[in-house]
Amino acid sequence: MVVVIDDDGTQGRVLAETIKNRGVDAQNITHWDQLQKILMRKSISCLVIDYYLQDGWAGPELAKLLRSFGLGEVPIFFTSSDNSEVVRRQCEASGFPFVPKKWRWLLANLVVARVLRQLSSGEMQQAR
């Protein structure tokens, strides 16, 4: 499952629905701390995180925290309405892809491709 973390509930839901329409299960939450409930119930295949969250967490700092909670191998994509050079460079420097919210269709396609590639790779390993 893909988890979209976006404090703008409407934008997060639209992105999650766009991903679902491409055949991958997705859910939107509005605060990163809601992720704990999901982790207890489901396996997460990818995270899409709004770069600036209302609770004060931002970008790579949140990704580092999530990695420390056992999400070490889960792909993380960042998105934001702020398409500034500063935001893009901070994501790149930390090793996380950044796609502006206005390119939601591209972000959804990248996320779905990543998840399907993971599933395909996992199936190939199980077949061996």
Side-chain angles (χ1 to χ4, degrees):
M1 171 171 41
V2 174
V3 177
V4 178
I5 306 172
D6 193 331
D7 50 20
D8 180 332
T10 301
Q11 290 215 24
R13 275 192 305 278
V14 169
L15 180 55
E17 286 299 319
T18 304
I19 293 168
K20 282 182 187 177
N21 289 339
R22 286 166 173 73
V24 173
D25 187 26
Q27 180 178 347
N28 171 241
I29 57 176
T30 55
H31 293 89
W32 72 270
D33 58 353
Q34 295 170 311
L35 191 58
Q36 183 178 5
K37 293 176 187 172
I38 294 171
L39 286 171
M40 288 189 271
R41 294 180 287 142
K42 294 196 173 199
S43 174
I44 295 176
S45 53
C46 187
L47 290 166
V48 178
I49 305 171
D50 183 15
Y51 190 86
Y52 294 110
L53 295 173
Q54 286 179 346
D55 56 11
W57 290 95
E61 147 186 304
L62 177 57
K64 287 178 188 175
L65 178 67
L66 292 172
R67 294 275 190 240
S68 73
F69 285 149
L71 295 172
E73 299 299 317
V74 174
I76 296 174
F77 289 82
F78 281 100
T79 190
S80 180
S81 297
D82 178 353
N83 187 24
S84 69
E85 188 72 20
V86 171
V87 170
R88 285 183 282 147
R89 285 187 185 208
Q90 286 178 346
C91 288
E92 289 173 12
S94 298
F96 299 105
F98 172 80
V99 181
K101 283 186 179 180
K102 66 182 179 180
W103 295 348
R104 178 177 42 248
W105 59 271
L106 174 62
L107 178 57
N109 286 338
L110 290 169
V111 168
V112 168
R114 181 68 184 257
V115 169
L116 294 178
R117 187 172 42 232
Q118 283 177 304
L119 290 173
S120 176
S121 172
E123 289 172 4
M124 289 172 53
Q125 287 178 357
Q126 286 179 353
R128 291 181 187 168

